[in-house]
Amino acid sequence: MGSEPEVIVEVEEPIAIIKLNRPHVLNAMTDAMMEMLLKKVQEVKADDRARVVIITGMGRGFCAGSDIEELATYSPDAARHHAAMGAEINAVIETMPKPVIAAINGPAVGGGFEMALACDIRIAARSARVGLPEVTLGSITGAGGSFRITRVVGSGVAKELLFTGRLVDAEEAYRLTLVNRVVDDGRVLEECRALALDLAGKSPTSLWLLKFLANKSFEIDWEVGMLLESLGNTQVATTKGFESGTRAFLQRRNKK
């Protein structure tokens, strides 16, 4: 609490870490906090110092979604505005031309898990729980959660989780492929930093194209996808990253 901002950005070149900072309510988001978060993700997207982005929460939670006390006061117009902001934040995360990792250090629920699903990679603490419980409040997801969870786990599992609203623990989330890894509590950020540094050492052009192609694979047919991949492959063959990468490979092989 205190005078600290509700969204903190720390740039540890080549990594930017976005921290949600309302720990007393498990980082549940008000409209004001979402406006700040949208501004911060847009800034990080444009910041050339940050080649990889990590999103996490302060305290013992990742994000508990919308602040229910505020949500209960919304008019229909206010509710639409709130959902639209969440959708815009997630769209920026998903289309950002650099990898985004969700460091799920605790509960990631509702809008919080929708945001995690918009990230490219999710690493969870062993004590974390995740899910989309909107149906238990007589509501539904509003920031892309129903689409993204279906893409991640398939229709049958997604429908069960959406229809029941149940939360799953980290181990079940891993089995269902909702998260990529599960690590001991207290090690999530460390694990994400290590992965981020590894990714930051890769060609940014290659990562951008791979992210774009992977995201578009759900929307375009096979022939168009193969054409785009071929064009992208040709493009990276002219970059300095490809030249230095192939040179390093040949040097390692020749030393053997």
Side-chain angles (χ1 to χ4, degrees), residues 66-102:
S66 300
D67 186 301
I68 301 300
E69 285 191 14
E70 183 178 90
L71 196 64
T73 69
Y74 285 164
S75 66
D77 284 345
R80 278 192 290 271
H81 173 70
H82 184 81
M85 273 200 296
E88 188 173 359
I89 289 165
N90 294 344
V92 174
I93 291 169
E94 188 171 60
T95 61
M96 191 180 299
K98 54 188 82 174
V100 184
I101 304 169

Side-chain angles (χ1 to χ4, degrees), residues 29-86:
M29 293 189 288
T30 61
D31 270 6
M33 183 179 178
M34 290 177 74
E35 287 170 3
M36 183 180 295
L37 179 58
L38 177 58
K39 179 181 177 182
K40 295 300 184 184
V41 293
Q42 289 169 333
E43 289 175 354
V44 166
K45 176 181 177 179
D47 191 339
D48 290 337
R49 296 175 300 164
R51 295 178 64 168
V52 183
V53 180
I54 298 171
I55 300 177
T56 194
M58 299 289 281
R60 59 185 183 87
F62 178 76
C63 178
S66 300
D67 186 301
I68 301 300
E69 285 191 14
E70 183 178 90
L71 196 64
T73 69
Y74 285 164
S75 66
D77 284 345
R80 278 192 290 271
H81 173 70
H82 184 81
M85 273 200 296

Side-chain angles (χ1 to χ4, degrees), residues 99-120:
V100 184
I101 304 169
I104 304 176
N105 56 307
V109 179
F113 193 51
E114 288 186 279
M115 181 167 57
L117 287 168
C119 296
D120 301 299

Side-chain angles (χ1 to χ4, degrees), residues 42 55 83 85 88 131 146 172 191 206 220 231 245 247:
Q42 289 169 333
I55 300 177
M85 273 200 296
E88 188 173 359
S146 62
E172 183 176 3
E191 191 86 1
S206 295
I220 57 180
L231 291 171
R247 188 186 307 117

Side-chain angles (χ1 to χ4, degrees), residues 107-241:
V109 179
F113 193 51
E114 288 186 279
M115 181 167 57
L117 287 168
C119 296
D120 301 299
I121 298 170
R122 290 166 290 282
I123 297 179
R126 209 164 296 282
S127 65
R129 299 179 76 206
V130 304
L132 300 170
E134 285 85 348
V135 71
T136 64
L137 300 175
S139 185
I140 67 168
T141 52
S146 62
F147 291 89
R148 291 189 178 97
I149 195 172
T150 302
R151 290 175 176 180
V152 171
V153 299
S155 178
V157 174
K159 286 176 181 176
E160 180 201 343
L161 296 176
L162 289 165
F163 293 174
T164 64
R166 74 181 181 90
L167 304 184
V168 300
D169 62 27
E171 293 297 339
E172 183 176 3
Y174 176 73
R175 290 196 300 273
L176 295 175
T177 70
L178 288 168
V179 300
N180 298 77
R181 303 181 196 174
V182 177
V183 301
D184 291 337
D185 291 3
R187 291 196 59 247
V188 178
L189 202 51
E190 174 188 344
E191 191 86 1
C192 289
R193 277 197 182 98
L195 175 59
L197 285 172
D198 177 51
L199 297 181
K202 306 293 193 293
S203 160
T205 303
S206 295
L207 291 175
W208 165 61
L209 285 169
L210 288 168
K211 176 170 177 171
F212 175 82
L213 290 167
N215 286 345
K216 288 297 180 182
S217 68
F218 296 100
E219 305 169 19
I220 57 180
D221 64 32
W222 177 262
E223 288 186 1
V224 174
M226 290 302 297
L227 175 60
L228 289 173
E229 186 173 81
S230 177
L231 291 171
N233 181 270
T234 303
Q235 178 181 338
V236 297
T238 64
T239 63
K240 291 182 179 178

